[in-house]
Amino acid sequence: MKTNIQFVHADTKLSAEQLVQRKLDKLENKYDWIISADVMFKEEKSTNGNGKTCAIELSLPGPKIHASSNSDSFEAAAAETVKDLEKQLKKRKAEMQSH
C-alpha cells in the first residue's frame, strides 16, 4: 500500500507520522485489498483545544473510504480516525462477502 502523509499549517511531527504508519500497516495486513492511503494532518486555531485534525482517505476497489477526527494531539486524532476507518472496512468486507 502506498501512503502519502501531509502536514498542513503544522510542523511535521515524526511521532504522529510513525503512529499512523504503524496503524495503517496493521489495517493493510487485515485488509489486503487496500490500494493506497492519503493522510492529512491539519492544525487550526480552536477555542476548545481540539485544533489538531487527522483526515485519512483510503483507496479501495469501489468507492473510497474517508474519515477524520479532531483532538488535542495529532496522535489521538490519528488513532480515532483509524478506528473509524476500521469500522467502515469491516462493513465493506461484509458487503463484499455477501455477493
Side-chain angles (χ1 to χ4, degrees):
M1 167 176 59
K2 181 179 168 252
T3 305
N4 178 25
I5 300 174
Q6 297 177 344
F7 284 82
V8 180
H9 303 299
D11 295 331
T12 301
K13 194 164 183 194
L14 193 59
S15 61
E17 233 177 284
Q18 291 171 338
L19 175 90
V20 79
Q21 188 64 57
R22 266 195 326 269
K23 289 188 174 288
L24 288 173
D25 287 345
K26 285 181 184 177
L27 280 183
E28 184 186 18
N29 289 338
K30 230 176 177 181
Y31 306 99
D32 59 348
W33 34 272
I34 299 173
I35 300 166
S36 67
D38 290 319
V39 182
M40 186 170 52
F41 290 103
K42 195 176 197 179
E43 189 166 9
E44 298 171 339
K45 303 268 186 261
S46 174
T47 56
N48 62 0
N50 291 345
K52 298 191 174 27
T53 304
C54 176
I56 303 176
E57 184 176 83
L58 295 180
S59 294
L60 316 165
K64 292 182 178 182
I65 291 178
H66 180 269
S68 66
S69 62
N70 293 346
S71 188
D72 57 342
S73 73
F74 286 132
E75 291 84 355
E80 186 63 34
T81 303
V82 171
K83 276 187 202 172
D84 293 344
L85 287 171
E86 188 161 16
K87 288 178 192 172
Q88 293 180 48
L89 285 166
K90 283 180 185 175
K91 189 174 177 183
R92 174 73 62 89
K93 187 174 183 176
E95 289 172 4
M96 289 170 62
Q97 290 175 340
S98 67
H99 292 286

